[in-house]
Amino acid sequence: MLKFKTGRLTDLQYQPYYRRFQIEDNQRKQKDLVGRILLAKLMDLPEDALLDDDEFTTIANGKPLFAKRTTAFNISHSADLVLVAISDRPLGVDVEKVKPVQLKRLKRAFTVAELAYLEKLPAARQSLTMLRLWTVKEAVLKETGAGLPGKPWTVSVNVPRMDVAEQHGQRFAINFLAIHEDYLGTMAQKIE
């Protein structure tokens, strides 16, 4: 089972919550709140069912988990979009707003094989492909609970297909999520 949902911080449905919790000017807290509301909707719970902090716990690097529920979830955000996914087993998701990116800026995040592939691409495709690779790496690192301190260059992605990634001998299935034309969304789950 895999379900995902997105929401924009500017959606009118969230505005009453921003006022209720006095976070009209705090985008970080808005992202957290929208993520919890989307999570509740995915689980067919009332919107405020997951607004209490005692519903959640975290592992060492801050990956949130349910304190008493078995559903696995992950949340990501970029610009004004929040992506939430649930599954019956652990997963990692990442979303990135499509924007121009230069290879020299992210070069350290890629393996030798990934760099060779990127350098062969026409400039028009290189930026988008880099962002796609980045979402794969971040989704894998979020699945493991390491997050970005988990060193993106340790995640190797099979290019050009990008349907499998590997880190420290563990393989991950990669799925791209159709979420919005201006955003790239990716999900990673260990291959068992």
Side-chain angles (χ1 to χ4, degrees):
M1 164 213 42
L2 167 69
K3 295 196 287 187
F4 66 91
K5 206 168 203 33
T6 61
R8 291 186 179 275
L9 299 183
T10 54
D11 289 347
L12 293 177
Q13 63 184 319
Y14 305 124
Q15 304 310 310
Y17 286 100
Y18 299 163
R19 287 189 294 278
R20 176 175 153 195
F21 293 102
Q22 300 177 3
I23 58 171
E24 297 95 339
D25 298 323
N26 189 326
Q27 198 175 61
R28 186 188 62 76
K29 288 186 178 182
Q30 290 174 2
K31 289 174 183 177
D32 180 56
L33 181 108
V34 170
R36 290 173 184 230
I37 292 170
L38 292 171
L39 185 56
K41 286 181 180 181
L42 280 170
M43 297 176 67
D44 294 321
L45 298 170
E47 279 190 355
D48 351 23
L50 302 176
L51 297 183
D52 294 327
D53 285 339
D54 62 353
E55 285 282 343
F56 302 93
T57 187
T58 57
I59 59 175
N61 286 322
K63 181 178 180 177
L65 305 169
F66 282 119
K68 298 174 185 151
R69 300 174 193 264
T70 58
T71 303
F73 72 93
N74 203 232
I75 300 173
S76 183
H77 47 78
S78 180
D80 75 332
L81 191 77
V82 178
L83 166 67
V84 179
I86 63 171
S87 179
D88 51 359
R89 57 193 189 96
L91 73 160
V93 295
D94 186 47
V95 63
E96 295 291 333
K97 183 164 178 55
V98 174
K99 59 187 178 261
V101 182
Q102 294 180 346
L103 183 57
K104 66 181 181 182
R105 182 174 164 248
L106 292 177
K107 199 170 191 171
R108 292 187 59 221
F110 302 115
T111 66
V112 172
E114 294 161 357
L115 281 171
Y117 172 70
L118 288 168
E119 288 169 349
K120 290 179 187 175
L121 293 175
R125 285 193 43 220
Q126 192 180 67
S127 181
L128 187 62
T129 304
M130 274 190 297
L131 277 175
R132 175 62 72 199
L133 269 170
W134 179 261
T135 67
V136 170
K137 290 172 177 282
E138 194 163 339
V140 166
L141 293 170
K142 289 178 72 179
E143 195 280 349
T144 66
L148 284 180
K151 303 173 184 161
W153 59 88
T154 65
V155 177
S156 176
V157 182
N158 71 326
V159 288
R161 291 182 54 157
M162 294 190 234
D163 60 345
V164 175
E166 187 173 320
Q167 184 191 38
H168 308 307
Q170 181 66 57
R171 292 169 43 94
F172 298 83
I174 304 303
N175 290 293
F176 299 121
L177 307 175
I179 53 175
H180 190 277
E181 64 189 33
D182 294 339
Y183 289 85
L184 298 175
T186 302
M187 185 207 54
Q189 286 186 303
K190 282 184 187 150
I191 298 173
E192 313 235 347

Coordinates of all heavy atoms in Angstrom, one line a residue, residues 36-127:
R36 N 0.9 17.3 8.9 CA 0.1 16.5 9.8 C -1.4 16.4 9.4 O -2.0 15.4 9.5 CB 0.1 17.1 11.2 CG 1.5 17.0 11.9 CD 1.5 17.7 13.2 NE 2.9 17.6 13.8 CZ 3.1 17.3 15.1 NH1 2.1 17.1 15.9 NH2 4.3 17.3 15.5
I37 N -1.9 17.5 8.8 CA -3.3 17.5 8.3 C -3.4 16.5 7.1 O -4.3 15.7 7.0 CB -3.8 18.9 7.9 CG1 -3.9 19.7 9.2 CG2 -5.1 18.8 7.1 CD1 -4.2 21.2 8.9
L38 N -2.4 16.6 6.2 CA -2.4 15.7 5.0 C -2.2 14.2 5.5 O -2.9 13.3 4.9 CB -1.2 16.1 4.1 CG -1.4 17.4 3.3 CD1 -0.1 17.7 2.6 CD2 -2.6 17.3 2.4
L39 N -1.4 14.0 6.5 CA -1.2 12.7 7.0 C -2.5 12.1 7.6 O -2.9 11.0 7.3 CB -0.1 12.7 8.1 CG 0.3 11.4 8.7 CD1 0.8 10.4 7.7 CD2 1.4 11.7 9.7
A40 N -3.2 12.9 8.3 CA -4.5 12.5 8.8 C -5.5 12.2 7.7 O -6.2 11.1 7.7 CB -5.1 13.6 9.7
K41 N -5.5 13.0 6.7 CA -6.4 12.7 5.5 C -6.1 11.4 4.8 O -7.0 10.6 4.5 CB -6.4 13.9 4.5 CG -7.1 15.1 5.0 CD -7.0 16.2 3.9 CE -7.7 17.5 4.4 NZ -7.6 18.5 3.4
L42 N -4.8 11.1 4.7 CA -4.4 9.9 4.0 C -4.8 8.7 4.8 O -5.0 7.6 4.3 CB -2.8 9.9 3.9 CG -2.3 10.7 2.7 CD1 -0.7 10.7 2.8 CD2 -2.7 10.0 1.4
M43 N -4.9 8.9 6.2 CA -5.2 7.7 7.0 C -6.7 7.7 7.3 O -7.2 7.0 8.2 CB -4.4 7.8 8.3 CG -2.9 7.7 8.0 SD -1.9 7.9 9.5 CE -2.4 6.5 10.5
D44 N -7.5 8.6 6.7 CA -8.9 8.7 6.9 C -9.3 9.0 8.3 O -10.2 8.4 8.9 CB -9.7 7.4 6.4 CG -9.5 7.2 4.9 OD1 -9.6 8.2 4.2 OD2 -9.3 6.0 4.5
L45 N -8.5 9.9 8.9 CA -8.8 10.4 10.3 C -9.3 11.8 10.2 O -9.1 12.5 9.2 CB -7.5 10.4 11.1 CG -6.8 9.0 11.3 CD1 -5.5 9.2 11.9 CD2 -7.7 8.1 12.2
P46 N -9.9 12.3 11.2 CA -10.3 13.7 11.2 C -9.1 14.6 11.1 O -8.0 14.2 11.6 CB -11.0 13.9 12.6 CG -11.3 12.6 13.1 CD -10.4 11.6 12.4
E47 N -9.2 15.8 10.5 CA -8.1 16.7 10.2 C -7.2 17.0 11.5 O -6.0 17.0 11.4 CB -8.6 18.0 9.6 CG -8.8 17.9 8.1 CD -9.0 19.3 7.5 OE1 -9.1 20.3 8.2 OE2 -9.1 19.3 6.3
D48 N -7.9 17.2 12.6 CA -7.0 17.5 13.8 C -6.6 16.3 14.6 O -5.9 16.5 15.6 CB -7.7 18.4 14.8 CG -9.0 19.1 14.5 OD1 -9.7 18.6 13.7 OD2 -9.2 20.1 15.2
A49 N -6.8 15.1 14.1 CA -6.4 13.9 14.8 C -4.9 13.8 15.1 O -4.5 13.2 16.2 CB -6.9 12.6 14.1
L50 N -4.1 14.3 14.3 CA -2.6 14.2 14.5 C -1.9 15.5 14.8 O -0.7 15.6 14.6 CB -2.0 13.5 13.2 CG -2.6 12.2 12.8 CD1 -2.0 11.7 11.5 CD2 -2.4 11.2 13.9
L51 N -2.7 16.4 15.4 CA -2.0 17.7 15.7 C -1.3 17.7 17.0 O -0.5 18.6 17.3 CB -3.1 18.8 15.6 CG -3.7 19.1 14.3 CD1 -4.7 20.3 14.3 CD2 -2.7 19.3 13.2
D52 N -1.5 16.7 17.8 CA -0.9 16.6 19.1 C 0.5 16.0 19.0 O 0.7 15.0 18.3 CB -1.7 15.8 20.1 CG -3.0 16.4 20.5 OD1 -3.0 17.6 20.5 OD2 -3.9 15.7 20.7
D53 N 1.5 16.6 19.6 CA 2.9 16.0 19.6 C 3.0 14.6 20.1 O 3.9 13.9 19.7 CB 3.9 17.0 20.3 CG 4.1 18.2 19.5 OD1 3.9 18.2 18.2 OD2 4.6 19.2 20.1
D54 N 2.2 14.2 21.0 CA 2.3 12.9 21.6 C 2.0 11.8 20.7 O 2.1 10.6 21.0 CB 1.5 12.8 22.9 CG 0.0 12.9 22.7 OD1 -0.4 13.3 21.6 OD2 -0.7 12.7 23.7
E55 N 1.5 12.1 19.5 CA 1.2 11.1 18.4 C 2.5 10.6 17.8 O 2.5 9.6 17.1 CB 0.3 11.7 17.3 CG -1.1 11.8 17.7 CD -1.9 10.5 17.6 OE1 -1.4 9.6 17.0 OE2 -3.0 10.5 18.2
F56 N 3.6 11.4 18.0 CA 4.8 11.1 17.2 C 6.0 10.9 18.2 O 6.1 11.4 19.3 CB 5.1 12.3 16.3 CG 4.0 12.6 15.3 CD1 3.0 13.5 15.6 CD2 4.0 11.9 14.1 CE1 2.0 13.8 14.7 CE2 2.9 12.1 13.2 CZ 1.9 13.1 13.5
T57 N 7.0 10.2 17.6 CA 8.3 10.1 18.2 C 9.3 10.3 17.1 O 8.9 10.3 15.9 CB 8.5 8.7 19.0 OG1 9.7 8.7 19.7 CG2 8.4 7.6 18.0
T58 N 10.6 10.3 17.4 CA 11.6 10.4 16.4 C 12.7 9.5 16.7 O 13.0 9.1 17.8 CB 12.2 11.9 16.3 OG1 12.7 12.2 17.5 CG2 11.2 12.9 15.9
I59 N 13.4 9.1 15.6 CA 14.6 8.3 15.8 C 15.8 9.2 15.8 O 15.7 10.4 15.7 CB 14.8 7.2 14.7 CG1 14.8 7.8 13.3 CG2 13.7 6.2 14.8 CD1 15.1 6.8 12.2
A60 N 17.0 8.7 15.9 CA 18.2 9.4 16.2 C 18.4 10.7 15.4 O 18.8 11.8 15.9 CB 19.5 8.5 16.1
N61 N 18.2 10.6 14.1 CA 18.5 11.8 13.2 C 17.2 12.6 13.0 O 17.2 13.4 12.0 CB 19.1 11.3 11.9 CG 20.6 10.9 12.1 OD1 21.3 11.6 12.9 ND2 21.0 9.9 11.4
G62 N 16.2 12.4 13.8 CA 15.0 13.3 13.7 C 13.9 12.8 12.8 O 12.9 13.4 12.6
K63 N 14.0 11.5 12.2 CA 13.0 11.0 11.3 C 11.8 10.8 12.2 O 11.8 10.0 13.2 CB 13.4 9.7 10.6 CG 12.3 9.2 9.7 CD 12.8 7.9 9.0 CE 11.7 7.4 8.1 NZ 12.1 6.2 7.3
P64 N 10.6 11.4 11.9 CA 9.4 11.1 12.7 C 8.8 9.8 12.4 O 8.8 9.3 11.3 CB 8.5 12.3 12.2 CG 8.9 12.6 10.8 CD 10.4 12.3 10.8
L65 N 8.2 9.2 13.5 CA 7.5 8.0 13.4 C 6.3 8.1 14.3 O 6.2 9.0 15.2 CB 8.3 6.8 14.0 CG 9.7 6.6 13.4 CD1 10.4 5.5 14.2 CD2 9.5 6.0 12.0
F66 N 5.3 7.3 14.1 CA 4.1 7.3 15.0 C 4.6 6.7 16.3 O 5.3 5.7 16.3 CB 2.9 6.5 14.4 CG 2.2 7.3 13.4 CD1 2.1 6.8 12.1 CD2 1.5 8.5 13.7 CE1 1.3 7.5 11.1 CE2 0.8 9.2 12.8 CZ 0.7 8.7 11.5
A67 N 4.1 7.2 17.4 CA 4.4 6.6 18.7 C 3.6 5.3 18.9 O 4.2 4.4 19.5 CB 4.0 7.6 19.8
K68 N 2.4 5.2 18.4 CA 1.6 4.1 18.7 C 0.9 3.4 17.5 O 0.1 2.5 17.6 CB 0.5 4.4 19.7 CG 1.1 4.9 21.1 CD 0.0 5.4 22.0 CE 0.6 5.9 23.3 NZ -0.1 7.0 23.9
R69 N 1.1 3.9 16.3 CA 0.5 3.4 15.1 C 1.5 2.7 14.3 O 2.7 3.0 14.4 CB -0.1 4.6 14.3 CG -1.2 5.3 15.1 CD -1.7 6.5 14.2 NE -2.5 7.4 15.0 CZ -3.8 7.5 15.1 NH1 -4.5 6.6 14.4 NH2 -4.4 8.4 15.8
T70 N 1.1 1.8 13.4 CA 2.0 1.0 12.7 C 2.3 1.5 11.2 O 3.2 1.1 10.6 CB 1.6 -0.5 12.6 OG1 0.3 -0.5 12.0 CG2 1.6 -1.2 13.9
T71 N 1.5 2.4 10.8 CA 1.6 3.0 9.4 C 2.9 3.7 9.4 O 3.3 4.5 10.2 CB 0.4 3.9 9.1 OG1 -0.8 3.2 9.3 CG2 0.6 4.5 7.7
A72 N 3.7 3.5 8.3 CA 4.9 4.2 8.0 C 4.6 5.5 7.2 O 3.7 5.4 6.4 CB 5.9 3.3 7.3
F73 N 5.3 6.5 7.5 CA 5.0 7.8 6.7 C 6.3 8.5 6.6 O 7.3 8.3 7.3 CB 3.9 8.6 7.4 CG 4.4 9.3 8.7 CD1 5.0 10.6 8.6 CD2 4.4 8.7 9.9 CE1 5.4 11.2 9.8 CE2 4.8 9.3 11.1 CZ 5.3 10.5 11.0
N74 N 6.3 9.5 5.6 CA 7.4 10.4 5.5 C 6.8 11.7 4.9 O 5.8 11.7 4.1 CB 8.5 9.8 4.6 CG 9.8 10.5 4.8 OD1 10.5 10.9 3.9 ND2 10.3 10.5 6.1
I75 N 7.5 12.8 5.2 CA 7.0 14.1 4.8 C 8.2 14.9 4.2 O 9.3 14.8 4.7 CB 6.4 14.9 6.0 CG1 5.2 14.2 6.6 CG2 6.0 16.3 5.6 CD1 4.7 14.8 7.9
S76 N 7.9 15.6 3.1 CA 8.9 16.5 2.5 C 8.2 17.8 2.1 O 7.0 17.8 1.9 CB 9.5 15.8 1.3 OG 10.6 16.6 0.8
H77 N 9.0 18.8 2.0 CA 8.5 20.1 1.5 C 9.5 20.8 0.7 O 10.7 20.7 0.9 CB 7.9 20.9 2.6 CG 8.8 21.1 3.8 ND1 9.9 21.9 3.8 CD2 8.8 20.4 5.0 CE1 10.5 21.8 4.9 NE2 9.9 20.9 5.7
S78 N 9.0 21.6 -0.2 CA 9.9 22.5 -1.0 C 9.1 23.7 -1.4 O 7.9 23.6 -1.9 CB 10.4 21.8 -2.3 OG 11.2 22.6 -3.1
A79 N 9.6 24.9 -1.3 CA 8.9 26.1 -1.5 C 7.6 26.1 -0.7 O 7.6 25.9 0.5 CB 8.7 26.3 -3.0
D80 N 6.4 26.2 -1.4 CA 5.2 26.2 -0.7 C 4.4 24.9 -0.8 O 3.2 24.8 -0.4 CB 4.3 27.3 -1.2 CG 3.6 27.0 -2.6 OD1 4.2 26.3 -3.3 OD2 2.6 27.6 -2.9
L81 N 5.1 23.8 -1.2 CA 4.4 22.5 -1.4 C 4.9 21.5 -0.3 O 6.1 21.4 -0.1 CB 4.7 21.9 -2.8 CG 3.8 20.7 -3.1 CD1 2.4 21.2 -3.5 CD2 4.5 19.9 -4.3
V82 N 3.9 20.8 0.2 CA 4.2 19.7 1.2 C 3.7 18.4 0.6 O 2.6 18.3 0.1 CB 3.5 20.0 2.6 CG1 3.7 18.9 3.6 CG2 3.9 21.4 3.2
L83 N 4.6 17.4 0.7 CA 4.3 16.1 0.2 C 4.3 15.1 1.4 O 5.3 15.1 2.2 CB 5.3 15.6 -0.8 CG 5.4 14.2 -1.2 CD1 4.1 13.7 -1.9 CD2 6.6 13.9 -2.0
V84 N 3.3 14.3 1.5 CA 3.2 13.3 2.6 C 2.9 12.0 1.9 O 2.0 11.9 1.0 CB 2.1 13.7 3.6 CG1 2.0 12.6 4.7 CG2 2.3 15.0 4.2
A85 N 3.6 10.9 2.3 CA 3.3 9.6 1.8 C 3.2 8.6 3.0 O 3.8 8.8 4.0 CB 4.4 9.1 0.8
I86 N 2.3 7.6 2.8 CA 2.2 6.5 3.8 C 2.3 5.2 3.1 O 2.1 5.1 1.9 CB 0.8 6.6 4.6 CG1 -0.4 6.4 3.7 CG2 0.7 7.9 5.4 CD1 -1.7 6.2 4.4
S87 N 2.7 4.2 3.9 CA 2.9 2.9 3.4 C 2.8 1.9 4.5 O 2.8 2.3 5.7 CB 4.3 2.7 2.7 OG 4.5 1.5 2.2
D88 N 2.7 0.6 4.2 CA 2.7 -0.4 5.2 C 4.2 -0.8 5.6 O 4.4 -1.7 6.5 CB 1.9 -1.6 4.8 CG 2.3 -2.1 3.4 OD1 3.2 -1.5 2.8 OD2 1.8 -3.1 3.0
R89 N 5.2 -0.2 5.0 CA 6.6 -0.4 5.4 C 7.4 0.9 5.2 O 6.9 1.8 4.6 CB 7.2 -1.6 4.6 CG 7.2 -1.4 3.1 CD 7.5 -2.8 2.4 NE 7.7 -2.6 1.0 CZ 8.9 -2.4 0.4 NH1 10.0 -2.4 1.1 NH2 8.9 -2.2 -0.9
P90 N 8.5 1.0 5.9 CA 9.3 2.2 5.9 C 9.5 2.8 4.5 O 9.7 2.0 3.5 CB 10.6 1.9 6.5 CG 10.2 0.7 7.4 CD 9.2 -0.1 6.6
L91 N 9.5 4.1 4.3 CA 9.7 4.8 3.1 C 10.4 6.1 3.3 O 10.3 6.7 4.4 CB 8.4 5.0 2.3 CG 7.4 6.0 2.8 CD1 6.5 6.4 1.7 CD2 6.6 5.5 4.0
G92 N 10.9 6.7 2.3 CA 11.4 8.0 2.3 C 10.9 8.8 1.1 O 10.8 8.2 0.0
V93 N 10.6 10.0 1.2 CA 10.1 10.8 0.1 C 10.9 12.1 0.0 O 11.3 12.6 1.1 CB 8.6 11.1 0.1 CG1 7.8 9.8 0.0 CG2 8.2 11.9 1.3
D94 N 11.0 12.7 -1.1 CA 11.5 14.0 -1.3 C 10.8 14.7 -2.4 O 10.4 14.1 -3.4 CB 13.0 14.0 -1.7 CG 13.6 15.4 -1.7 OD1 13.4 16.1 -0.7 OD2 14.3 15.7 -2.6
V95 N 10.6 16.0 -2.2 CA 10.0 16.8 -3.3 C 10.9 18.1 -3.5 O 11.5 18.6 -2.5 CB 8.6 17.3 -2.9 CG1 8.5 18.1 -1.7 CG2 7.9 18.0 -4.1
E96 N 11.1 18.5 -4.7 CA 11.9 19.6 -5.0 C 11.2 20.4 -6.1 O 10.7 19.9 -7.1 CB 13.3 19.2 -5.5 CG 14.2 18.5 -4.6 CD 14.6 19.4 -3.4 OE1 14.7 20.6 -3.6 OE2 14.9 18.8 -2.3
K97 N 11.2 21.7 -5.9 CA 10.6 22.7 -6.9 C 11.6 22.7 -8.1 O 12.8 22.8 -7.9 CB 10.5 24.1 -6.3 CG 9.8 25.0 -7.3 CD 9.3 26.3 -6.6 CE 8.7 27.3 -7.6 NZ 7.6 26.8 -8.4
V98 N 11.1 22.6 -9.3 CA 11.9 22.6 -10.5 C 12.5 24.0 -10.6 O 11.8 25.0 -10.6 CB 11.1 22.2 -11.7 CG1 12.0 22.4 -13.0 CG2 10.6 20.8 -11.6
K99 N 13.8 24.1 -10.7 CA 14.5 25.4 -10.8 C 15.9 25.1 -11.5 O 16.4 23.9 -11.4 CB 14.7 26.0 -9.5 CG 15.5 25.2 -8.5 CD 15.5 25.7 -7.1 CE 16.3 24.8 -6.1 NZ 15.5 24.0 -5.3
P100 N 16.5 26.1 -12.1 CA 17.8 25.8 -12.7 C 18.9 25.5 -11.6 O 18.9 26.2 -10.6 CB 18.1 27.1 -13.4 CG 16.9 27.9 -13.4 CD 16.0 27.4 -12.3
V101 N 19.7 24.5 -11.8 CA 20.7 24.2 -10.9 C 22.0 23.9 -11.7 O 21.9 23.3 -12.8 CB 20.4 22.9 -10.1 CG1 21.5 22.5 -9.1 CG2 19.1 23.0 -9.4
Q102 N 23.1 24.4 -11.2 CA 24.4 24.2 -12.0 C 25.1 23.0 -11.4 O 25.1 22.8 -10.1 CB 25.2 25.4 -11.9 CG 24.6 26.6 -12.6 CD 25.5 27.8 -12.5 OE1 26.4 27.9 -11.7 NE2 25.2 28.8 -13.4
L103 N 25.7 22.2 -12.2 CA 26.4 21.0 -11.8 C 27.5 21.3 -10.8 O 27.7 20.6 -9.8 CB 27.1 20.3 -13.0 CG 27.8 19.0 -12.7 CD1 26.9 18.0 -12.1 CD2 28.3 18.4 -14.0
K104 N 28.2 22.4 -10.9 CA 29.3 22.7 -10.0 C 28.8 22.9 -8.5 O 29.4 22.7 -7.6 CB 30.1 23.9 -10.4 CG 29.4 25.2 -10.4 CD 30.3 26.4 -10.9 CE 29.5 27.7 -10.9 NZ 30.3 28.8 -11.4
R105 N 27.5 23.3 -8.4 CA 26.9 23.5 -7.1 C 26.6 22.2 -6.3 O 26.8 22.1 -5.1 CB 25.6 24.3 -7.2 CG 24.9 24.6 -5.9 CD 23.7 25.5 -6.1 NE 23.0 25.4 -4.8 CZ 21.8 24.8 -4.7 NH1 21.2 24.3 -5.8 NH2 21.2 24.8 -3.6
L106 N 26.2 21.2 -7.1 CA 25.9 19.9 -6.5 C 26.9 18.8 -6.7 O 26.7 17.6 -6.4 CB 24.5 19.4 -6.9 CG 23.3 20.3 -6.5 CD1 22.0 19.7 -7.1 CD2 23.2 20.2 -5.0
K107 N 28.0 19.1 -7.4 CA 28.9 18.1 -7.9 C 29.3 17.1 -6.8 O 29.4 15.9 -7.0 CB 30.2 18.8 -8.4 CG 31.0 17.9 -9.3 CD 32.1 18.8 -10.0 CE 32.7 17.9 -11.1 NZ 33.5 18.7 -12.0
R108 N 29.6 17.5 -5.6 CA 30.0 16.6 -4.5 C 29.0 15.6 -4.1 O 29.3 14.6 -3.4 CB 30.4 17.5 -3.3 CG 31.6 18.3 -3.5 CD 32.1 19.0 -2.2 NE 32.4 18.0 -1.2 CZ 32.1 18.2 0.1 NH1 31.5 19.3 0.5 NH2 32.4 17.3 1.0
A109 N 27.7 15.8 -4.5 CA 26.7 14.8 -4.1 C 26.6 13.6 -5.0 O 26.0 12.6 -4.6 CB 25.3 15.5 -4.2
F110 N 27.3 13.6 -6.1 CA 27.2 12.5 -7.1 C 28.4 11.6 -7.1 O 29.5 12.0 -6.9 CB 26.9 13.1 -8.5 CG 25.7 14.0 -8.5 CD1 25.8 15.4 -8.8 CD2 24.5 13.5 -8.3 CE1 24.7 16.2 -8.8 CE2 23.3 14.3 -8.3 CZ 23.4 15.6 -8.5
T111 N 28.1 10.4 -7.5 CA 29.2 9.4 -7.7 C 29.9 9.6 -9.1 O 29.4 10.4 -9.9 CB 28.6 7.9 -7.8 OG1 27.8 7.8 -8.9 CG2 27.8 7.6 -6.5
V112 N 31.0 9.0 -9.3 CA 31.7 9.1 -10.6 C 30.9 8.8 -11.7 O 30.8 9.5 -12.8 CB 33.0 8.3 -10.5 CG1 33.7 8.3 -11.9 CG2 34.0 8.8 -9.4
A113 N 30.1 7.7 -11.7 CA 29.3 7.2 -12.8 C 28.1 8.3 -13.0 O 27.8 8.6 -14.2 CB 28.7 5.9 -12.5
E114 N 27.6 8.8 -11.9 CA 26.5 9.8 -12.1 C 27.0 11.1 -12.7 O 26.4 11.6 -13.6 CB 25.9 10.1 -10.7 CG 25.1 8.9 -10.1 CD 24.9 9.0 -8.6 OE1 25.4 10.0 -8.0 OE2 24.3 8.1 -8.1
L115 N 28.2 11.5 -12.3 CA 28.8 12.7 -12.9 C 29.1 12.5 -14.4 O 28.8 13.4 -15.2 CB 30.1 13.1 -12.2 CG 30.0 13.8 -10.8 CD1 31.3 13.9 -10.1 CD2 29.3 15.1 -11.0
A116 N 29.6 11.3 -14.7 CA 29.9 11.1 -16.2 C 28.6 11.1 -17.0 O 28.6 11.7 -18.1 CB 30.6 9.7 -16.3
Y117 N 27.6 10.6 -16.4 CA 26.3 10.6 -17.1 C 25.8 12.1 -17.2 O 25.4 12.5 -18.3 CB 25.2 9.8 -16.3 CG 23.8 9.9 -16.9 CD1 23.5 9.4 -18.1 CD2 22.9 10.5 -16.1 CE1 22.2 9.5 -18.6 CE2 21.6 10.7 -16.6 CZ 21.2 10.2 -17.8 OH 19.9 10.3 -18.3
L118 N 25.8 12.8 -16.2 CA 25.3 14.2 -16.2 C 26.1 15.1 -17.2 O 25.6 15.9 -17.9 CB 25.4 14.8 -14.8 CG 24.4 14.3 -13.8 CD1 24.7 14.8 -12.4 CD2 23.0 14.8 -14.2
E119 N 27.4 14.9 -17.2 CA 28.3 15.7 -18.1 C 28.0 15.4 -19.5 O 28.3 16.3 -20.4 CB 29.8 15.5 -17.7 CG 30.1 16.1 -16.4 CD 31.5 15.7 -15.8 OE1 32.1 14.8 -16.3 OE2 31.9 16.4 -14.8
K120 N 27.5 14.3 -19.9 CA 27.1 14.0 -21.3 C 25.8 14.6 -21.7 O 25.5 14.6 -22.9 CB 27.1 12.5 -21.5 CG 28.4 11.8 -21.4 CD 28.3 10.3 -21.6 CE 29.6 9.6 -21.4 NZ 29.4 8.1 -21.4
L121 N 25.0 15.0 -20.8 CA 23.7 15.5 -21.1 C 23.7 16.9 -21.7 O 24.6 17.7 -21.3 CB 22.8 15.6 -19.9 CG 22.4 14.2 -19.3 CD1 21.6 14.4 -18.0 CD2 21.6 13.4 -20.3
P122 N 22.8 17.2 -22.6 CA 22.7 18.6 -23.1 C 22.4 19.5 -21.9 O 21.6 19.1 -21.0 CB 21.6 18.6 -24.2 CG 21.1 17.2 -24.2 CD 21.8 16.4 -23.2
A123 N 22.8 20.7 -22.0 CA 22.6 21.7 -20.9 C 21.1 21.8 -20.5 O 20.8 21.9 -19.3 CB 23.1 23.1 -21.2
A124 N 20.2 21.7 -21.5 CA 18.8 21.9 -21.3 C 18.3 20.8 -20.4 O 17.3 20.9 -19.7 CB 18.0 21.9 -22.6
R125 N 18.9 19.6 -20.4 CA 18.4 18.4 -19.7 C 19.2 18.2 -18.4 O 18.7 17.6 -17.4 CB 18.5 17.1 -20.5 CG 17.4 17.1 -21.5 CD 17.2 15.7 -22.1 NE 17.3 14.6 -21.2 CZ 17.9 13.4 -21.5 NH1 18.5 13.3 -22.6 NH2 17.9 12.5 -20.6
Q126 N 20.4 18.8 -18.3 CA 21.3 18.5 -17.2 C 20.7 19.0 -15.9 O 20.7 18.2 -14.9 CB 22.6 19.2 -17.5 CG 23.7 18.7 -16.5 CD 25.0 19.4 -16.8 OE1 25.1 20.6 -16.6 NE2 26.0 18.6 -17.2
S127 N 20.1 20.2 -15.8 CA 19.6 20.7 -14.6 C 18.5 19.9 -14.0 O 18.5 19.5 -12.8 CB 19.2 22.2 -14.8 OG 18.7 22.7 -13.6

